[in-house]
Amino acid sequence: SAVISQKPSRDICQRGTSLTIQCQVDSQVTMMFWYRQQPGQSLTLIATANQGSEATYESGFVIDKFPISRPNLTFSTLTVSNMSPEDSSIYLCSVEDPTYAYNEQFFGPGTRLTVL
Amino acid sequence: KQEVTQIPAALSVPEGENLVLNCSFTDSAIYNLQWFRQDPGKGLTSLLLIQSSQREQTSGRLNASLDKSSGRSTLYIAASQPGDSATYLCAVIRPGGSYIPTFGRGTSLIVHP
């Protein structure tokens, strides 16, 4: 399966600042996804990031708050901008591994963000 | 809109018990269903994927079944161990479009020695 790494693994940030999270995959993938998991909740999709095109955001998420880059087929970044305590969550990237049938999804280890 | 429900929300059992975790979904038109494990504060580990045409999948002590017509899946864990303690999430993918999964809230499992 695809091996996915994320940086940083955790961070504590001040209100009003921004944090960029990196996601690296060990193989080329077409589709990458960014999720948020708030404390005690399940995963909520933020956006889909395809290489060479603008990210597609889900309802309730906007580019100004969560800008995404996808410069190549193995890398993506998610920035959480102008942070508030409500942004404290685990942020996860995932991919569909093209070597697996039926769009099996694989996830990175997550970035635990705490905003003070 | 697809909704995924997992029951129970939490479960605490002694080591050695056989367990059944339940997942139900409202729209039976699914492409596949995937079970994940999540350790506290960590990412998700894929356990099993069941295609819409399949009824079950097995991996070691895990067996997942799928009944599309009734909108249900179960994850069976045999001879539970303390290392199985984690949150178990099911995700349903609908056909067409970008195959984005809808997740349940998970079942938090504690297996005590």
Side-chain angles (χ1 to χ4, degrees):
Chain A
S1 63
V3 177
I4 305 166
S5 60
Q6 284 185 235
K7 289 182 182 179
S9 58
R10 58 176 60 222
D11 208 341
I12 300 173
C13 300
Q14 295 297 320
R15 181 196 298 260
T17 62
S18 299
L19 176 71
T20 295
I21 302 168
Q22 300 178 6
C23 179
Q24 180 75 53
V25 189
D26 69 343
S27 57
Q28 294 185 340
V29 295
T30 302
M31 300 184 72
M32 296 180 75
F33 306 91
W34 286 98
Y35 288 85
R36 180 175 74 182
Q37 186 177 30
Q38 294 175 303
Q41 303 296 314
S42 190
L43 280 72
T44 301
L45 181 65
I46 297 172
T48 303
N50 292 336
Q51 194 268 337
S53 63
E54 293 278 334
T56 302
Y57 289 83
E58 296 300 301
S59 175
F61 298 95
V62 295
I63 188 171
D64 289 346
K65 175 67 175 177
F66 297 101
I68 288 171
S69 76
R70 183 78 201 275
N72 57 52
L73 291 174
T74 63
F75 187 77
S76 178
T77 67
L78 169 76
T79 298
V80 186
S81 303
N82 188 25
M83 289 184 284
S84 67
E86 292 71 33
D87 294 319
S88 297
S89 296
I90 298 174
Y91 291 84
L92 297 133
C93 73
S94 78
V95 305
E96 288 180 2
D97 190 329
T99 63
Y100 281 70
Y102 297 94
N103 304 93
E104 188 163 358
Q105 308 262 329
F106 295 93
F107 282 78
T111 295
R112 180 183 283 274
L113 171 62
T114 301
V115 184
L116 303 177
Chain B
K1 178 186 174 185
Q2 179 75 273
E3 293 183 3
V4 180
T5 303
Q6 290 188 246
I7 295 173
L11 188 60
S12 179
V13 300
E15 181 177 5
E17 279 204 5
N18 300 324
L19 309 171
V20 176
L21 308 182
N22 298 293
C23 172
S24 62
F25 44 94
T26 54
D27 187 343
S28 62
I30 68 170
Y31 184 66
N32 65 37
L33 184 146
Q34 196 167 353
W35 282 94
F36 294 89
R37 167 189 173 134
Q38 185 177 31
D39 292 289
K42 304 293 185 183
L44 277 65
T45 301
S46 178
L47 298 174
L48 290 164
L49 179 144
I50 309 178
Q51 303 160 24
S52 61
S53 58
Q54 296 178 321
R55 287 198 172 267
E56 65 178 329
Q57 281 283 349
T58 299
S59 176
R61 294 183 292 108
L62 305 179
N63 175 277
S65 68
L66 174 64
D67 183 344
K68 259 197 343 178
S69 61
S70 67
R72 293 182 181 180
S73 176
T74 60
L75 179 67
Y76 176 82
I77 303 176
S80 58
Q81 303 169 358
D84 294 330
S85 299
T87 296
Y88 291 81
L89 295 156
C90 79
V92 174
I93 295 181
R94 295 187 65 188
S98 55
Y99 300 98
I100 295 171
T102 301
F103 282 87
R105 287 193 166 198
T107 293
S108 177
L109 172 65
I110 297 175
V111 181
H112 47 87

